[in-house]
Amino acid sequence: MMIIPKAEGSGAPALGEPLAVEFGNTRFAVRGTRGGVHDALAAPESLAAWLTEHADAFPDGVADAALAGLRPADLPRYAALRDAIRTVSRALVDGATPDAAAIASINESAAAAPRVPRLSMGADGVLIAVDVADPHPLAALSALAASAIDLFGGGDRESLRSCAGPGCVLFYVKNHPRRGWCSAGCGNRARVARYHERHKG
């Protein structure tokens, strides 16, 4: 049974990015009357909502295990991992050397729950090797860190970008040569801002 009640929603944007990027984007800008930078991990209920919203992106059973055992005391570990992902993302986007403490935080989170290799029968009858996360309360934390390790240690790190939209603080993986924003909404706002700048006065 989940220890923390689920909130209606985390409020964080879901852009279809790799899991680590989506998790890093739980710190996001909001326009309008509620403007400013918001934190979707500000309360345990919001973390539970985010895990529920992204359950399909985790290995089988991982989100359920995390939700079943999630405690308020776990929130700082998730927030620290999110902040480490954002720190490394910012360094890579800026062409700087990533902070050693942020890297250590990601590695520590990856080791929070064991992963066990298993042999499984595929649908076509062929044996396949699968890496299964133990149904541990911190399995989701470990899976998020593993996603960050795959992203930062693989070829996609070269495609990691920060959104060029006005006031946006999100990251994305550039999957099209002309993409310059995290979403079409940020692209539209950037075009409108450029138009107004050209036609000022």
mmCIF file of all heavy atoms in Angstrom, residues 5-50:
data_model
loop_
_atom_site.group_PDB
_atom_site.id
_atom_site.type_symbol
_atom_site.label_atom_id
_atom_site.label_comp_id
_atom_site.label_asym_id
_atom_site.label_seq_id
_atom_site.Cartn_x
_atom_site.Cartn_y
_atom_site.Cartn_z
ATOM 1 N N PRO A 5 -0.303 9.631 -0.217
ATOM 2 C CA PRO A 5 -1.411 9.751 -1.164
ATOM 3 C C PRO A 5 -0.958 10.455 -2.442
ATOM 4 O O PRO A 5 -0.113 11.342 -2.392
ATOM 5 C CB PRO A 5 -2.446 10.597 -0.413
ATOM 6 C CG PRO A 5 -1.651 11.342 0.607
ATOM 7 C CD PRO A 5 -0.474 10.475 0.958
ATOM 8 N N LYS A 6 -1.502 10.027 -3.562
ATOM 9 C CA LYS A 6 -1.135 10.626 -4.844
ATOM 10 C C LYS A 6 -1.879 11.940 -5.032
ATOM 11 O O LYS A 6 -3.068 12.041 -4.781
ATOM 12 C CB LYS A 6 -1.464 9.664 -5.986
ATOM 13 C CG LYS A 6 -1.019 10.169 -7.350
ATOM 14 C CD LYS A 6 -1.278 9.154 -8.410
ATOM 15 C CE LYS A 6 -2.687 9.174 -8.919
ATOM 16 N NZ LYS A 6 -3.069 10.383 -9.621
ATOM 17 N N ALA A 7 -1.158 12.963 -5.485
ATOM 18 C CA ALA A 7 -1.789 14.236 -5.814
ATOM 19 C C ALA A 7 -2.499 14.095 -7.150
ATOM 20 O O ALA A 7 -2.297 13.128 -7.882
ATOM 21 C CB ALA A 7 -0.733 15.336 -5.882
ATOM 22 N N GLU A 8 -3.331 15.057 -7.491
ATOM 23 C CA GLU A 8 -4.049 15.029 -8.762
ATOM 24 C C GLU A 8 -3.100 14.956 -9.943
ATOM 25 O O GLU A 8 -3.345 14.276 -10.912
ATOM 26 C CB GLU A 8 -4.946 16.273 -8.883
ATOM 27 C CG GLU A 8 -6.182 16.204 -8.018
ATOM 28 C CD GLU A 8 -7.046 14.996 -8.332
ATOM 29 O OE1 GLU A 8 -7.350 14.750 -9.503
ATOM 30 O OE2 GLU A 8 -7.402 14.283 -7.385
ATOM 31 N N GLY A 9 -2.009 15.668 -9.886
ATOM 32 C CA GLY A 9 -1.018 15.663 -10.953
ATOM 33 C C GLY A 9 0.220 16.403 -10.475
ATOM 34 O O GLY A 9 0.154 17.221 -9.571
ATOM 35 N N SER A 10 1.336 16.097 -11.098
ATOM 36 C CA SER A 10 2.581 16.728 -10.663
ATOM 37 C C SER A 10 2.701 18.154 -11.188
ATOM 38 O O SER A 10 3.397 18.973 -10.602
ATOM 39 C CB SER A 10 3.768 15.908 -11.146
ATOM 40 O OG SER A 10 3.881 15.984 -12.562
ATOM 41 N N GLY A 11 2.044 18.443 -12.303
ATOM 42 C CA GLY A 11 2.154 19.753 -12.923
ATOM 43 C C GLY A 11 3.339 19.879 -13.858
ATOM 44 O O GLY A 11 3.426 20.818 -14.631
ATOM 45 N N ALA A 12 4.281 18.940 -13.775
ATOM 46 C CA ALA A 12 5.481 19.003 -14.616
ATOM 47 C C ALA A 12 5.127 18.683 -16.067
ATOM 48 O O ALA A 12 4.256 17.860 -16.332
ATOM 49 C CB ALA A 12 6.529 18.025 -14.119
ATOM 50 N N PRO A 13 5.818 19.321 -17.013
ATOM 51 C CA PRO A 13 5.548 19.016 -18.417
ATOM 52 C C PRO A 13 6.001 17.604 -18.764
ATOM 53 O O PRO A 13 6.951 17.088 -18.169
ATOM 54 C CB PRO A 13 6.394 20.055 -19.167
ATOM 55 C CG PRO A 13 7.459 20.447 -18.213
ATOM 56 C CD PRO A 13 6.870 20.304 -16.841
ATOM 57 N N ALA A 14 5.315 16.978 -19.675
ATOM 58 C CA ALA A 14 5.708 15.667 -20.201
ATOM 59 C C ALA A 14 5.944 15.855 -21.693
ATOM 60 O O ALA A 14 5.012 16.102 -22.448
ATOM 61 C CB ALA A 14 4.616 14.640 -19.943
ATOM 62 N N LEU A 15 7.210 15.794 -22.095
ATOM 63 C CA LEU A 15 7.578 16.112 -23.477
ATOM 64 C C LEU A 15 7.957 14.886 -24.302
ATOM 65 O O LEU A 15 8.315 15.019 -25.463
ATOM 66 C CB LEU A 15 8.753 17.099 -23.481
ATOM 67 C CG LEU A 15 8.532 18.401 -22.713
ATOM 68 C CD1 LEU A 15 9.803 19.225 -22.685
ATOM 69 C CD2 LEU A 15 7.385 19.191 -23.314
ATOM 70 N N GLY A 16 7.941 13.696 -23.683
ATOM 71 C CA GLY A 16 8.326 12.495 -24.406
ATOM 72 C C GLY A 16 9.835 12.359 -24.551
ATOM 73 O O GLY A 16 10.320 11.665 -25.437
ATOM 74 N N GLU A 17 10.586 13.006 -23.681
ATOM 75 C CA GLU A 17 12.043 12.937 -23.694
ATOM 76 C C GLU A 17 12.510 11.680 -22.950
ATOM 77 O O GLU A 17 11.711 11.021 -22.289
ATOM 78 C CB GLU A 17 12.624 14.188 -23.024
ATOM 79 C CG GLU A 17 12.307 15.486 -23.732
ATOM 80 C CD GLU A 17 12.944 15.590 -25.109
ATOM 81 O OE1 GLU A 17 13.984 14.931 -25.345
ATOM 82 O OE2 GLU A 17 12.397 16.318 -25.953
ATOM 83 N N PRO A 18 13.803 11.354 -23.036
ATOM 84 C CA PRO A 18 14.317 10.243 -22.223
ATOM 85 C C PRO A 18 13.960 10.462 -20.750
ATOM 86 O O PRO A 18 13.838 11.601 -20.288
ATOM 87 C CB PRO A 18 15.832 10.306 -22.448
ATOM 88 C CG PRO A 18 15.981 10.948 -23.796
ATOM 89 C CD PRO A 18 14.848 11.945 -23.885
ATOM 90 N N LEU A 19 13.809 9.372 -20.023
ATOM 91 C CA LEU A 19 13.317 9.436 -18.649
ATOM 92 C C LEU A 19 14.120 10.402 -17.782
ATOM 93 O O LEU A 19 13.551 11.183 -17.017
ATOM 94 C CB LEU A 19 13.336 8.026 -18.039
ATOM 95 C CG LEU A 19 12.668 7.847 -16.687
ATOM 96 C CD1 LEU A 19 11.206 8.289 -16.722
ATOM 97 C CD2 LEU A 19 12.768 6.391 -16.249
ATOM 98 N N ALA A 20 15.446 10.393 -17.905
ATOM 99 C CA ALA A 20 16.268 11.294 -17.089
ATOM 100 C C ALA A 20 15.975 12.757 -17.404
ATOM 101 O O ALA A 20 15.948 13.598 -16.500
ATOM 102 C CB ALA A 20 17.755 11.004 -17.312
ATOM 103 N N VAL A 21 15.746 13.078 -18.671
ATOM 104 C CA VAL A 21 15.444 14.459 -19.064
ATOM 105 C C VAL A 21 14.075 14.857 -18.519
ATOM 106 O O VAL A 21 13.899 15.955 -17.972
ATOM 107 C CB VAL A 21 15.518 14.635 -20.592
ATOM 108 C CG1 VAL A 21 15.120 16.045 -21.001
ATOM 109 C CG2 VAL A 21 16.920 14.302 -21.105
ATOM 110 N N GLU A 22 13.104 13.965 -18.653
ATOM 111 C CA GLU A 22 11.769 14.240 -18.106
ATOM 112 C C GLU A 22 11.858 14.517 -16.600
ATOM 113 O O GLU A 22 11.221 15.438 -16.087
ATOM 114 C CB GLU A 22 10.823 13.059 -18.351
ATOM 115 C CG GLU A 22 10.443 12.845 -19.795
ATOM 116 C CD GLU A 22 9.413 13.851 -20.304
ATOM 117 O OE1 GLU A 22 8.431 14.138 -19.602
ATOM 118 O OE2 GLU A 22 9.600 14.348 -21.416
ATOM 119 N N PHE A 23 12.664 13.709 -15.905
ATOM 120 C CA PHE A 23 12.799 13.884 -14.457
ATOM 121 C C PHE A 23 13.510 15.199 -14.144
ATOM 122 O O PHE A 23 13.108 15.928 -13.233
ATOM 123 C CB PHE A 23 13.546 12.698 -13.847
ATOM 124 C CG PHE A 23 13.541 12.702 -12.351
ATOM 125 C CD1 PHE A 23 12.357 12.667 -11.640
ATOM 126 C CD2 PHE A 23 14.735 12.724 -11.648
ATOM 127 C CE1 PHE A 23 12.356 12.672 -10.246
ATOM 128 C CE2 PHE A 23 14.743 12.722 -10.254
ATOM 129 C CZ PHE A 23 13.549 12.696 -9.559
ATOM 130 N N GLY A 24 14.553 15.530 -14.886
ATOM 131 C CA GLY A 24 15.226 16.811 -14.698
ATOM 132 C C GLY A 24 14.288 17.982 -14.915
ATOM 133 O O GLY A 24 14.420 19.033 -14.278
ATOM 134 N N ASN A 25 13.317 17.795 -15.795
ATOM 135 C CA ASN A 25 12.359 18.857 -16.109
ATOM 136 C C ASN A 25 11.228 18.977 -15.087
ATOM 137 O O ASN A 25 10.248 19.671 -15.337
ATOM 138 C CB ASN A 25 11.788 18.649 -17.513
ATOM 139 C CG ASN A 25 12.790 18.987 -18.592
ATOM 140 O OD1 ASN A 25 13.777 19.682 -18.348
ATOM 141 N ND2 ASN A 25 12.556 18.493 -19.796
ATOM 142 N N THR A 26 11.383 18.317 -13.924
ATOM 143 C CA THR A 26 10.407 18.542 -12.852
ATOM 144 C C THR A 26 10.646 19.886 -12.173
ATOM 145 O O THR A 26 9.892 20.280 -11.290
ATOM 146 C CB THR A 26 10.426 17.402 -11.800
ATOM 147 O OG1 THR A 26 11.745 17.282 -11.264
ATOM 148 C CG2 THR A 26 9.958 16.091 -12.400
ATOM 149 N N ARG A 27 11.687 20.601 -12.587
ATOM 150 C CA ARG A 27 11.847 22.026 -12.242
ATOM 151 C C ARG A 27 11.554 22.752 -13.547
ATOM 152 O O ARG A 27 12.259 22.562 -14.531
ATOM 153 C CB ARG A 27 13.256 22.328 -11.743
ATOM 154 C CG ARG A 27 13.401 23.766 -11.259
ATOM 155 C CD ARG A 27 14.762 24.039 -10.640
ATOM 156 N NE ARG A 27 15.063 23.227 -9.476
ATOM 157 C CZ ARG A 27 14.629 23.450 -8.237
ATOM 158 N NH1 ARG A 27 13.826 24.466 -8.000
ATOM 159 N NH2 ARG A 27 14.981 22.676 -7.246
ATOM 160 N N PHE A 28 10.495 23.555 -13.565
ATOM 161 C CA PHE A 28 9.995 24.134 -14.815
ATOM 162 C C PHE A 28 9.429 25.524 -14.594
ATOM 163 O O PHE A 28 9.082 25.892 -13.474
ATOM 164 C CB PHE A 28 8.924 23.215 -15.429
ATOM 165 C CG PHE A 28 7.736 22.978 -14.528
ATOM 166 C CD1 PHE A 28 6.565 23.694 -14.695
ATOM 167 C CD2 PHE A 28 7.795 22.039 -13.507
ATOM 168 C CE1 PHE A 28 5.473 23.496 -13.864
ATOM 169 C CE2 PHE A 28 6.706 21.828 -12.663
ATOM 170 C CZ PHE A 28 5.548 22.554 -12.844
ATOM 171 N N ALA A 29 9.380 26.288 -15.671
ATOM 172 C CA ALA A 29 8.842 27.655 -15.612
ATOM 173 C C ALA A 29 7.359 27.631 -15.940
ATOM 174 O O ALA A 29 6.913 26.869 -16.799
ATOM 175 C CB ALA A 29 9.584 28.548 -16.604
ATOM 176 N N VAL A 30 6.619 28.469 -15.249
ATOM 177 C CA VAL A 30 5.183 28.613 -15.501
ATOM 178 C C VAL A 30 4.927 30.066 -15.862
ATOM 179 O O VAL A 30 5.415 30.978 -15.206
ATOM 180 C CB VAL A 30 4.350 28.220 -14.256
ATOM 181 C CG1 VAL A 30 2.874 28.490 -14.489
ATOM 182 C CG2 VAL A 30 4.579 26.768 -13.903
ATOM 183 N N ARG A 31 4.182 30.268 -16.929
ATOM 184 C CA ARG A 31 3.853 31.626 -17.361
ATOM 185 C C ARG A 31 2.493 32.038 -16.804
ATOM 186 O O ARG A 31 1.734 31.209 -16.358
ATOM 187 C CB ARG A 31 3.841 31.700 -18.884
ATOM 188 C CG ARG A 31 5.245 31.635 -19.447
ATOM 189 C CD ARG A 31 5.247 31.162 -20.889
ATOM 190 N NE ARG A 31 6.588 30.875 -21.333
ATOM 191 C CZ ARG A 31 7.237 29.754 -21.088
ATOM 192 N NH1 ARG A 31 6.680 28.807 -20.386
ATOM 193 N NH2 ARG A 31 8.455 29.561 -21.532
ATOM 194 N N GLY A 32 2.216 33.312 -16.862
ATOM 195 C CA GLY A 32 0.913 33.799 -16.420
ATOM 196 C C GLY A 32 0.927 34.206 -14.959
ATOM 197 O O GLY A 32 1.969 34.493 -14.375
ATOM 198 N N THR A 33 -0.236 34.166 -14.343
ATOM 199 C CA THR A 33 -0.378 34.647 -12.969
ATOM 200 C C THR A 33 0.386 33.786 -11.975
ATOM 201 O O THR A 33 0.756 34.262 -10.908
ATOM 202 C CB THR A 33 -1.866 34.698 -12.564
ATOM 203 O OG1 THR A 33 -2.428 33.403 -12.744
ATOM 204 C CG2 THR A 33 -2.615 35.720 -13.387
ATOM 205 N N ARG A 34 0.604 32.510 -12.301
ATOM 206 C CA ARG A 34 1.371 31.626 -11.416
ATOM 207 C C ARG A 34 2.833 31.583 -11.829
ATOM 208 O O ARG A 34 3.531 30.638 -11.540
ATOM 209 C CB ARG A 34 0.815 30.203 -11.490
ATOM 210 C CG ARG A 34 -0.571 30.024 -10.981
ATOM 211 C CD ARG A 34 -1.012 28.575 -11.097
ATOM 212 N NE ARG A 34 0.130 27.662 -11.137
ATOM 213 C CZ ARG A 34 0.145 26.505 -11.766
ATOM 214 N NH1 ARG A 34 -0.899 26.097 -12.417
ATOM 215 N NH2 ARG A 34 1.209 25.737 -11.750
ATOM 216 N N GLY A 35 3.311 32.586 -12.530
ATOM 217 C CA GLY A 35 4.632 32.586 -13.135
ATOM 218 C C GLY A 35 5.769 32.282 -12.181
ATOM 219 O O GLY A 35 5.611 32.252 -10.972
ATOM 220 N N GLY A 36 6.937 32.058 -12.779
ATOM 221 C CA GLY A 36 8.135 31.739 -12.023
ATOM 222 C C GLY A 36 8.528 30.292 -12.230
ATOM 223 O O GLY A 36 7.902 29.552 -12.995
ATOM 224 N N VAL A 37 9.572 29.874 -11.542
ATOM 225 C CA VAL A 37 10.046 28.499 -11.637
ATOM 226 C C VAL A 37 9.376 27.678 -10.547
ATOM 227 O O VAL A 37 9.354 28.076 -9.383
ATOM 228 C CB VAL A 37 11.585 28.438 -11.504
ATOM 229 C CG1 VAL A 37 12.065 26.996 -11.522
ATOM 230 C CG2 VAL A 37 12.236 29.218 -12.648
ATOM 231 N N HIS A 38 8.805 26.560 -10.947
ATOM 232 C CA HIS A 38 8.090 25.677 -10.018
ATOM 233 C C HIS A 38 8.829 24.358 -9.875
ATOM 234 O O HIS A 38 9.556 23.932 -10.765
ATOM 235 C CB HIS A 38 6.660 25.432 -10.505
ATOM 236 C CG HIS A 38 5.788 26.631 -10.348
ATOM 237 N ND1 HIS A 38 4.937 26.782 -9.292
ATOM 238 C CD2 HIS A 38 5.668 27.749 -11.099
ATOM 239 C CE1 HIS A 38 4.315 27.950 -9.406
ATOM 240 N NE2 HIS A 38 4.741 28.549 -10.497
ATOM 241 N N ASP A 39 8.589 23.694 -8.757
ATOM 242 C CA ASP A 39 9.232 22.438 -8.430
ATOM 243 C C ASP A 39 8.170 21.362 -8.264
ATOM 244 O O ASP A 39 7.382 21.411 -7.317
ATOM 245 C CB ASP A 39 10.039 22.609 -7.136
ATOM 246 C CG ASP A 39 10.838 21.385 -6.762
ATOM 247 O OD1 ASP A 39 10.684 20.332 -7.412
ATOM 248 O OD2 ASP A 39 11.627 21.478 -5.810
ATOM 249 N N ALA A 40 8.152 20.396 -9.188
ATOM 250 C CA ALA A 40 7.160 19.319 -9.098
ATOM 251 C C ALA A 40 7.544 18.278 -8.054
ATOM 252 O O ALA A 40 6.816 17.306 -7.868
ATOM 253 C CB ALA A 40 6.981 18.650 -10.458
ATOM 254 N N LEU A 41 8.674 18.475 -7.383
ATOM 255 C CA LEU A 41 9.064 17.571 -6.295
ATOM 256 C C LEU A 41 9.009 18.301 -4.959
ATOM 257 O O LEU A 41 9.692 17.932 -4.010
ATOM 258 C CB LEU A 41 10.474 17.020 -6.533
ATOM 259 C CG LEU A 41 10.702 16.280 -7.843
ATOM 260 C CD1 LEU A 41 12.130 15.730 -7.884
ATOM 261 C CD2 LEU A 41 9.697 15.176 -8.054
ATOM 262 N N ALA A 42 8.189 19.331 -4.874
ATOM 263 C CA ALA A 42 8.111 20.136 -3.650
ATOM 264 C C ALA A 42 7.431 19.374 -2.516
ATOM 265 O O ALA A 42 7.635 19.694 -1.350
ATOM 266 C CB ALA A 42 7.372 21.439 -3.919
ATOM 267 N N ALA A 43 6.643 18.368 -2.840
ATOM 268 C CA ALA A 43 5.929 17.598 -1.816
ATOM 269 C C ALA A 43 5.934 16.124 -2.208
ATOM 270 O O ALA A 43 5.955 15.791 -3.396
ATOM 271 C CB ALA A 43 4.486 18.098 -1.694
ATOM 272 N N PRO A 44 5.904 15.230 -1.231
ATOM 273 C CA PRO A 44 5.885 13.794 -1.550
ATOM 274 C C PRO A 44 4.718 13.401 -2.454
ATOM 275 O O PRO A 44 4.866 12.540 -3.316
ATOM 276 C CB PRO A 44 5.771 13.128 -0.175
ATOM 277 C CG PRO A 44 6.333 14.124 0.784
ATOM 278 C CD PRO A 44 5.968 15.481 0.213
ATOM 279 N N GLU A 45 3.572 14.071 -2.285
ATOM 280 C CA GLU A 45 2.406 13.749 -3.117
ATOM 281 C C GLU A 45 2.679 14.057 -4.588
ATOM 282 O O GLU A 45 2.212 13.337 -5.473
ATOM 283 C CB GLU A 45 1.176 14.540 -2.645
ATOM 284 C CG GLU A 45 0.726 14.232 -1.235
ATOM 285 C CD GLU A 45 1.536 14.960 -0.164
ATOM 286 O OE1 GLU A 45 2.342 15.845 -0.487
ATOM 287 O OE2 GLU A 45 1.355 14.618 1.019
ATOM 288 N N SER A 46 3.414 15.134 -4.847
ATOM 289 C CA SER A 46 3.734 15.488 -6.231
ATOM 290 C C SER A 46 4.693 14.478 -6.846
ATOM 291 O O SER A 46 4.581 14.144 -8.017
ATOM 292 C CB SER A 46 4.351 16.889 -6.290
ATOM 293 O OG SER A 46 3.435 17.839 -5.818
ATOM 294 N N LEU A 47 5.664 13.998 -6.058
ATOM 295 C CA LEU A 47 6.563 12.951 -6.540
ATOM 296 C C LEU A 47 5.769 11.697 -6.885
ATOM 297 O O LEU A 47 5.975 11.090 -7.942
ATOM 298 C CB LEU A 47 7.637 12.627 -5.494
ATOM 299 C CG LEU A 47 8.504 11.395 -5.786
ATOM 300 C CD1 LEU A 47 9.254 11.522 -7.111
ATOM 301 C CD2 LEU A 47 9.480 11.150 -4.631
ATOM 302 N N ALA A 48 4.843 11.310 -6.012
ATOM 303 C CA ALA A 48 4.007 10.136 -6.272
ATOM 304 C C ALA A 48 3.204 10.325 -7.560
ATOM 305 O O ALA A 48 3.080 9.395 -8.373
ATOM 306 C CB ALA A 48 3.073 9.872 -5.091
ATOM 307 N N ALA A 49 2.677 11.536 -7.763
ATOM 308 C CA ALA A 49 1.920 11.813 -8.988
ATOM 309 C C ALA A 49 2.822 11.703 -10.206
ATOM 310 O O ALA A 49 2.431 11.129 -11.229
ATOM 311 C CB ALA A 49 1.280 13.202 -8.913
ATOM 312 N N TRP A 50 4.054 12.244 -10.123
ATOM 313 C CA TRP A 50 4.976 12.184 -11.267
ATOM 314 C C TRP A 50 5.337 10.732 -11.582
ATOM 315 O O TRP A 50 5.361 10.335 -12.751
ATOM 316 C CB TRP A 50 6.234 13.012 -10.982
ATOM 317 C CG TRP A 50 7.093 13.142 -12.193
ATOM 318 C CD1 TRP A 50 7.020 14.128 -13.144
ATOM 319 C CD2 TRP A 50 8.121 12.250 -12.629
ATOM 320 N NE1 TRP A 50 7.948 13.886 -14.146
ATOM 321 C CE2 TRP A 50 8.633 12.746 -13.845
ATOM 322 C CE3 TRP A 50 8.652 11.074 -12.110
ATOM 323 C CZ2 TRP A 50 9.651 12.115 -14.551
ATOM 324 C CZ3 TRP A 50 9.671 10.436 -12.803
ATOM 325 C CH2 TRP A 50 10.167 10.951 -14.013
#
